[in-house]
């Protein structure tokens, strides 16, 4: 069961069915979806993705997926899950453009990483980021992620693989 996480200004909690419209709006915003997975998808595909969070991810307890809320409003999405790209767990996060520029991305990423170390017992956490996504690369660099390697996609684009290792100073 995906636990609820709290940061100074955010609440990360499991989605509820009433979040569908806000989830779809977040994923339909191309400023956000251009950096997610394979990029922008149809509204129908995003609705199907939202449904699979309940019927597959939560139902089978596959991995943790959160609605990110600030002052009760859905402002983002977060996950930590096993990835085929590396032999480990990857963090995924996205914030609505209205939430950009306030340090909220750092709060989300730090909360997910801490969950990976403290609750899941991981010793390293990965992130994969499109090379042009300078904001996300800077955020991850700022919280201790290091570049591991680059992956060249079929379309010629570059994905950066980053890792953060558990340190002795972390619980």
């Amino acid at each position: 069961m995906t636990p609820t996480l709290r940061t100074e200004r955010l609440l990360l909690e499991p989605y509820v069915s009433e979040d569908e419209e806000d989830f779809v709006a977040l994923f339909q915003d191309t400023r956000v979806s251009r950096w997610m997975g394979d990029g922008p998808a149809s509204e129908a595909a995003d609705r199907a993705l939202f449904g699979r969070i309940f019927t597959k991810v939560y139902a089978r307890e596959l991995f943790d997926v959160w609605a990110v809320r600030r002052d009760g409003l859905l402002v983002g999405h977060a996950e930590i899950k096993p990835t085929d790209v590396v032999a480990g767990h990857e963090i995924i996060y996205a914030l609505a453009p209205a939430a950009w520029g306030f340090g909220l991305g750092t709060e989300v990423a730090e909360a997910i990483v801490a969950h990976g170390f403290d609750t899941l017992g991981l010793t390293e956490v990965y992130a994969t980021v499109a090379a042009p996504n300078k904001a996300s690369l800077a955020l991850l660099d700022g919280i201790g992620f290091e570049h591991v390697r680059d992956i060249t996609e079929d379309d010629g684009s570059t994905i950066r693989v980053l890792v953060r290792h558990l340190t002795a100073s972390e619980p």
Side-chain angles (χ1 to χ4, degrees):
M1 181 72 176
T2 296
T4 296
L5 307 177
R6 295 179 193 282
T7 71
E8 183 180 336
R9 299 173 289 174
L10 301 171
L11 179 67
L12 284 70
E13 62 185 358
Y15 281 101
V16 294
S17 59
E18 293 79 16
D19 290 326
E20 183 173 0
E21 294 308 316
D22 291 333
F23 176 93
V24 170
L26 176 69
F27 278 70
Q28 284 293 294
D29 188 323
T30 55
R31 296 170 293 177
V32 176
S33 61
R34 69 185 279 206
W35 306 118
M36 302 292 290
D38 294 327
S42 69
E43 181 179 335
D46 287 339
R47 288 188 187 284
L49 175 62
F50 184 77
R52 285 193 304 277
I53 290 172
F54 294 94
T55 62
K56 188 174 179 182
V57 178
Y58 289 161
R60 298 181 192 166
E61 296 185 7
L62 296 179
F63 53 89
D64 295 320
V65 178
W66 295 274
V68 178
R69 301 184 198 285
R70 183 174 188 197
D71 300 326
L73 301 174
L74 188 129
V75 297
H77 172 86
E79 306 177 16
I80 186 168
K81 66 181 185 179
T83 180
D84 293 336
V85 175
V86 295
H89 282 68
E90 172 183 24
I91 65 167
I92 296 169
Y93 55 89
L95 290 175
W100 294 355
F102 301 103
L104 299 176
T106 299
E107 282 187 40
V108 169
E110 284 278 31
I112 303 167
V113 168
H115 174 72
F117 292 154
D118 301 343
T119 304
L120 301 180
L122 304 175
T123 58
E124 56 192 17
V125 175
Y126 291 87
T128 55
V129 181
N133 188 347
K134 302 296 184 202
S136 196
L137 290 169
L139 182 159
L140 293 167
D141 181 64
I143 63 169
F145 276 78
E146 300 171 355
H147 180 251
V148 175
R149 71 179 191 277
D150 289 341
I151 299 170
T152 302
E153 297 285 273
D154 293 339
D155 65 2
S157 63
T158 301
I159 301 296
R160 303 258 159 150
V161 178
L162 309 167
V163 66
R164 179 165 157 191
H165 298 279
L166 179 66
T167 64
S169 63
E170 292 172 300

